[in-house]
Amino acid sequence: MEQLHEAEELLRGQAQLWQHMFAFADSMALKCAVELRIPDIMHSHSSPITMSQIASSMDSSSHPDISYLTRIMRLLVRRKIFSAHRPSDGGETLYGLTHVSRWLVNDSDKSLAPLFLLENHPLMMDPWHRFSQSVKEGGFAFKKEHGSEVFEFASQNPEFNSMFNSGMASTSRVTIHAILEGYKDGFGCIGSVVDVGGGTGNLVSEIVKSHPHIKGINFDLPHVVATAPEYNGVTHVGGDMFEAIPNADAVIIKWILHDWGDEDCVKILKNCRKAIAEREGKVIIVEVILKPEGNEVFEDTGLVLDLVMIAHSSGGKERTEIEWKKLLEKGGFPRYNIIKIPALTSIIEAYPQ
């Protein structure tokens, strides 16, 4: 009996290994669907559609191989990314969107399609093949593969830079929606807020739009804010967060600290502390909080995102609550609250006393 159980476990282990071996196939099949704009085609119809309708709605200059497309969609239906239903009258199978593929509709302001295409582009995938080299030698996987760090590489490659910016903007929009929905009460008691590393000002402008009493400051490198559009109630300020941060009642810093090592994070947090010192304000940190043993909806993604930081960042990482607590204390914030929002990230509300 024991030998039979062992044989069954070994067989399951082999099956699991096959799944891991070809795990990339899920991403590649879905990348194909996004490139062909299948979610957009389905969204443009008011009801599920046939494979023939999908094919005929593609670029008119193409001649889709429906047999290939059917096989790719078969896997994506099994993964519940698309739905499939065979009518009772024996007609063609009808395909539709699910709660997964709705996030890939380009026309939506919550679309993650640009980020999906970015993360699965060969230029972003190649550094993953450098992991073992990075473990043995140290150093950054992206730089080992491409000869420069990701932001420098983007500045020298306009096409990649455009794709990179589109991907970052898409996830930023989703996160902004989650912040405004899940932290609406957190902005009521502040008169001013500075967004550190705010890019062209999307986040702070949305905060001010929802809370018109707030004076917004968008803070980033001079060449970044130089291209920022004007927003009512928002001032753009150029500078370096490692040197000084503009004063405000509150500092918000979204998905910035995970790009940096602990020592650099402490420097940034100390400057955040100085920026709110006279006002006894707070710092609003929007980041992933890792829970390696957790079973909530985004826990696995957090661990994977930590590996993305190995692949693409220059010393950055995702952190557990204990790691965040240590950083906050060193940065001058002995007290904090964690607030969950409907997103991959959470809010860490940190106070100087």
Side-chain angles (χ1 to χ4, degrees), residues 250-267:
V251 170
I252 188 166
I253 183 165
K254 174 178 68 68
W255 256 350
I256 299 295
L257 296 177
H258 78 157
D259 286 325
W260 301 94
D262 291 353
E263 185 177 337
D264 285 326
C265 283
V266 171
K267 290 178 184 177

Side-chain angles (χ1 to χ4, degrees), residues 10 40 48 55 83-84 124 176 180 188 196 218 227 263 267 299 348:
L10 278 172
D40 298 278
S83 65
M124 296 294 267
I176 288 171
L180 295 176
V196 174
N218 179 55
T227 63
E263 185 177 337
K267 290 178 184 177
E299 304 300 358
I348 305 172

Side-chain angles (χ1 to χ4, degrees), residues 8-247:
E8 289 176 348
E9 288 299 308
L10 278 172
L11 191 60
R12 289 194 186 95
Q14 182 190 153
Q16 190 173 353
L17 180 59
W18 280 103
Q19 290 173 351
H20 290 310
M21 192 185 308
F22 293 109
F24 67 88
D26 288 4
S27 292
M28 294 300 101
L30 186 50
K31 179 186 178 184
C32 169
V34 175
E35 289 177 332
L36 295 173
R37 300 182 71 89
I38 291 175
D40 298 278
I41 292 171
M42 291 178 173
H43 180 67
S44 68
H45 290 73
S46 58
S47 59
I49 56 178
T50 66
M51 191 67 68
S52 299
Q53 288 175 301
I54 294 173
S56 64
S57 299
M58 291 179 186
D59 183 355
S60 59
S61 64
S62 65
H63 302 282
D65 187 315
I66 293 183
S67 66
Y68 281 176
L69 183 57
T70 302
R71 289 156 65 184
I72 291 167
M73 289 294 289
R74 180 170 58 189
L75 177 65
L76 296 177
V77 167
R78 184 174 178 84
R79 297 292 185 261
K80 295 182 170 53
I81 292 168
F82 297 107
S83 65
H85 171 68
R86 187 72 180 266
S88 57
D89 62 6
E92 286 189 66
T93 299
L94 299 172
Y95 296 88
L97 297 170
T98 67
H99 291 306
V100 179
S101 45
R102 290 187 189 280
W103 289 94
L104 295 170
V105 176
N106 280 287
D107 293 339
S108 168
D109 62 350
K110 295 182 180 180
S111 177
L112 288 172
L115 180 66
F116 188 92
L117 292 177
L118 170 67
E119 292 296 341
N120 287 278
H121 190 278
L123 289 170
M124 296 294 267
M125 293 296 294
D126 287 345
W128 289 83
H129 296 282
R130 297 280 190 164
F131 270 26
S132 58
Q133 186 180 353
S134 293
V135 169
K136 289 189 290 186
E137 302 172 358
F140 309 132
F142 193 94
K143 188 172 184 178
K144 286 179 180 294
E145 179 64 33
H146 298 300
S148 60
E149 296 174 7
V150 65
F151 293 110
E152 181 185 355
F153 184 86
S155 69
Q156 298 169 352
N157 296 270
E159 186 176 345
F160 176 79
N161 185 56
S162 176
M163 179 177 62
F164 184 86
N165 290 338
S166 294
M168 294 299 100
S170 71
T171 188
S172 180
R173 284 191 295 269
V174 170
T175 306
I176 288 171
H177 279 290
I179 293 169
L180 295 176
E181 180 181 340
Y183 192 65
K184 60 184 70 173
D185 296 335
F187 296 112
C189 59
I190 59 176
S192 59
V193 61
V194 55
D195 182 7
V196 174
T200 56
N202 290 335
L203 172 57
V204 72
S205 68
E206 291 297 327
I207 292 172
V208 171
K209 188 185 299 183
S210 298
H211 304 272
H213 70 280
I214 293 178
K215 173 189 174 184
I217 303 169
N218 179 55
F219 180 68
D220 211 311
L221 295 169
H223 75 272
V224 175
V225 299
T227 63
E230 291 186 9
Y231 300 104
N232 290 331
V234 175
T235 302
H236 297 293
V237 177
D240 186 338
M241 64 186 175
F242 288 103
E243 295 179 2
I245 292 170
N247 292 335

